[in-house]
């Protein structure tokens, strides 16, 4: 029994010494982990600082781009409310008819239903200058009408103020701006849309209604994707408001612009 007790004591001493070595190794590992944690925390802070610096650079470049080359502004139209015009032209018209005309002017047919649009018909959005505008409600039927008219009319087009020209020019500039913004923000666009597809009209290649509508839908999808990436307030966006969505995206009030 005495020999067995001595043997057990020796084994306990060995285990104790081994436990001490493991404890020292554990302390070394914990110390190393603390150093790594501090290093990771410092690197994370540096990365966050660099992201903020990069975001500020992107924001500066975008604001300079949209103030010098591609200014986007809201242009008030001289269009009068149908309620006022109709009441002056026909005194016998009932008030209910006048109110219905005003209500119809402020609605847009979207995705199979009528939705309220407070900006419909009141304003238009210009890009690169007040003379190049797009209808605020996304109605580009003036282009289709022009194409159909050109098919039946022979001879050169001398009407330079035709809305089809301004619509094509505005969409072309918007496409150029969106492609440039995607490069500055380093955001891949979901739809591939080159300037030539929209600019084909200016080059004398009249797009069909289907191709034109398809190109506009691609452009609107890319603009919405950029707005989502920069956390633009969703309540401000409308899927048909091409330039208005762009205006909200590049606005100095957009807090996350450049993220």
């Amino acid at each position: 029994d005495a020999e067995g007790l001595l043997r057990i004591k020796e084994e306990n001493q060995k285990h104790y010494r081994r436990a001490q070595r493991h404890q020292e190794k554990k302390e070394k590992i914990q110390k190393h982990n603390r150093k790594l944690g501090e290093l990771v925390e410092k690197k994370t802070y540096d990365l966050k600082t660099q992201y903020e610096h990069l975001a500020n650079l992107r924001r500066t470049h975008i604001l300079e781009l949209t103030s010098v080359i591609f200014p986007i502004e809201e242009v008030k139209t001289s269009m009068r409310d149908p309620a006022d015009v109709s009441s002056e032209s026909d005194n016998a018209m009932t008030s209910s008819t006048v109110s219905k005309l005003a209500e119809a002017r402020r609605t847009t047919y979207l995705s199979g239903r009528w939705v309220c649009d407070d900006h419909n018909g009141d304003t238009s959005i210009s890009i690169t200058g007040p003379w190049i505008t797009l209808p605020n409600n996304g109605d580009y039927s003036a282009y289709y009408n022009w194409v159909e008219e050109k098919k039946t009319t022979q001879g050169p087009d001398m009407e330079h103020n035709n809305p089809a020209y301004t619509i094509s020019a505005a969409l072309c500039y918007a496409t150029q701006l969106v492609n440039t913004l995607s490069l500055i923000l380093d955001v891949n666009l979901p739809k591939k849309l080159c300037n030539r597809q929209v600019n084909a009209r200016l080059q004398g290649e009249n797009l069909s209604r289907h191709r034109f509508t398809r190109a506009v839908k691609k452009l609107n999808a890319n603009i919405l994707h950029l707005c989502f990436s920069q956390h633009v307030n969703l309540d401000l966006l409308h899927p048909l408001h091409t330039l208005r969505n762009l205006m909200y995206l590049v606005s100095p009030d957009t807090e996350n612009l450049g993220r």
Side-chain angles (χ1 to χ4, degrees), residues 11 22 76 79 88 109 143 169 182 217 230 251 259:
E11 291 178 357
H22 286 311
K76 294 291 184 179
M79 183 182 300
E88 294 175 2
Y109 190 74
Y143 178 85
S182 69
K217 287 182 178 180
Q230 303 305 301
S251 172
R259 64 180 295 275

Side-chain angles (χ1 to χ4, degrees), residues 17-215:
R17 288 193 295 270
R18 184 179 299 175
Q20 283 185 325
R21 289 197 298 271
H22 286 311
Q23 182 65 26
E24 292 175 358
K25 188 180 295 184
K26 175 185 174 182
E27 292 176 356
K28 288 182 180 179
I29 293 175
Q30 290 177 342
K31 184 178 180 180
H32 180 68
N33 288 341
R34 284 195 297 270
K35 288 184 178 180
L36 287 180
E38 294 174 356
L39 181 61
V40 169
E41 185 177 355
K42 182 179 181 300
K43 292 292 184 181
T44 303
Y45 177 78
D46 293 341
L47 180 62
K48 182 179 179 181
T49 304
Q50 290 298 325
Y51 274 145
E52 293 176 353
H53 178 64
L54 179 59
N56 290 331
L57 285 178
R58 289 171 172 170
R59 182 184 182 90
T60 301
H61 291 165
I62 290 175
L63 294 180
E64 183 178 2
L65 177 69
T66 54
S67 63
V68 178
I69 302 178
F70 295 101
I72 302 177
E73 298 177 348
E74 187 173 8
V75 179
K76 294 291 184 179
T77 60
S78 58
M79 183 182 300
R80 301 181 63 184
D81 196 299
D84 300 333
V85 178
S86 59
S87 62
E88 294 175 2
S89 61
D90 187 2
N91 295 328
M93 183 175 293
T94 62
S95 60
S96 61
T97 305
V98 173
S99 61
K100 288 179 180 179
L101 284 174
E103 181 182 0
R105 178 171 165 268
R106 296 183 179 90
T107 55
T108 301
Y109 190 74
L110 177 63
S111 301
R113 62 190 181 91
W114 291 96
V115 296
C116 181
D117 182 9
D118 294 336
H119 301 288
N120 190 2
D122 293 334
T123 61
S124 59
I125 307 299
S126 67
I127 183 171
T128 70
W131 54 89
I132 300 180
T133 62
L134 280 182
N136 182 67
N137 57 1
D139 181 13
Y140 306 141
S141 58
Y143 178 85
Y144 313 138
N145 298 336
W146 186 90
V147 172
E148 294 297 328
E149 183 180 353
K150 285 294 292 181
K151 289 180 180 179
T152 58
T153 305
Q154 301 296 330
D157 182 15
M158 303 301 294
E159 189 178 352
H160 299 291
N161 293 329
N162 194 298
Y165 285 96
T166 59
I167 289 176
S168 298
L171 291 176
C172 179
Y173 286 137
T175 303
Q176 292 177 338
L177 176 57
V178 168
N179 290 337
T180 305
L181 290 177
S182 69
L183 295 176
I184 296 177
L185 296 173
D186 194 23
V187 175
N188 293 326
L189 298 176
K191 304 294 183 180
K192 183 178 180 181
L193 184 64
C194 61
N195 299 334
R196 190 196 65 80
Q197 291 178 268
V198 182
N199 200 26
R201 161 65 186 85
L202 298 179
Q203 298 173 352
E205 179 187 345
N206 298 328
L207 294 177
S208 65
R209 184 186 184 110
H210 173 72
R211 291 178 59 193
F212 184 84
T213 303
R214 189 165 175 263

